[in-house]
Amino acid sequence: MNVKIIGVGKLKEKYLKDGIAEYAKRLQKFAKFEVIEVPDEKAPEQLSQAQMDQVMAKEGERILSKIKDKEYVFALAIKGKERSSEELAAEIDKLALRGDSDLTFVIGGSLGLAPEVIARANTQISFGRFTLPHQLMRLVLTEQIYRAFMINQGSPYHK
């Protein structure tokens, strides 16, 4: 299985990089795992709706260029479906049994995901109504993917 996270912006904080690296190392026994960073679009602090749409569109193009046709895409979106850890694990297991072995999770930039990225996604996933920094979300998501594999293995890690 191949699992990929596409995130907008460069991760700068060492503690986040270290956490992601630790879970990435643990995930290696279950799947080929990679994190792809696409550049964020530089924009002024105060944006009009048209400028926001333009920023999201440019970031969206960069994201879509990293997704292949055969990939099953989870878009992280506030309006997405909330899942428990067990539900995510079951969904990953079901996808693997169905032959979907290329899973891609997409985390947008500070403005969210372009409509084109949402449209390309097979499903939308939400981690609740909290607003979290997208850099922190990469670590949380990586841990939850690892947790899903551990649940599917029957490991006590999940408890």
Side-chain angles (χ1 to χ4, degrees):
M1 179 167 274
N2 298 305
V3 179
K4 176 167 64 179
I5 294 175
I6 301 173
V8 173
K10 190 144 184 73
L11 205 57
K12 297 174 186 81
E13 295 82 358
K14 183 180 180 336
Y15 72 96
L16 292 174
K17 287 181 184 178
D18 290 347
I20 291 168
E22 176 60 31
Y23 287 112
K25 186 174 79 177
R26 294 180 188 189
L27 271 163
Q28 286 176 349
K29 64 181 173 183
F30 302 111
K32 180 179 179 266
F33 178 77
E34 66 177 321
V35 176
I36 296 174
E37 295 179 337
V38 298
D40 55 345
E41 189 64 20
K42 302 299 178 226
E45 197 67 33
Q46 298 294 321
L47 297 173
S48 68
Q49 187 60 51
Q51 289 170 313
M52 284 194 260
D53 293 344
Q54 188 176 28
V55 166
M56 285 193 301
K58 287 182 180 177
E59 290 175 350
E61 287 172 18
R62 293 174 188 144
I63 291 167
L64 292 170
S65 75
K66 304 296 182 186
I67 299 173
K68 297 180 183 81
D69 288 343
K70 65 179 181 163
E71 293 174 15
Y72 188 93
V73 178
F74 292 82
L76 274 70
I78 289 173
K79 294 180 182 176
K81 179 182 177 220
E82 290 185 32
R83 293 158 173 84
S84 67
S85 296
E86 295 85 359
E87 288 168 336
L88 179 61
E91 190 169 358
I92 288 172
D93 198 40
K94 181 177 152 192
L95 288 168
L97 289 172
R98 197 173 78 187
D100 286 310
S101 60
D102 294 309
L103 307 182
T104 298
F105 294 82
V106 180
I107 303 171
S110 58
L111 299 176
L113 290 169
E116 297 81 6
V117 176
I118 297 290
R120 168 57 183 89
N122 298 87
T123 189
Q124 293 179 49
I125 186 170
S126 173
F127 279 71
R129 293 175 20 208
F130 287 117
T131 300
L132 296 171
H134 51 278
Q135 296 92 340
L136 177 59
M137 197 62 233
R138 283 190 212 172
L139 174 57
V140 172
L141 176 60
T142 305
E143 190 281 334
Q144 283 299 302
I145 294 167
Y146 173 70
R147 182 176 296 270
F149 280 101
M150 295 302 283
I151 289 169
N152 288 339
Q153 183 184 292
S155 168
Y157 169 83
H158 175 59
K159 304 295 179 210

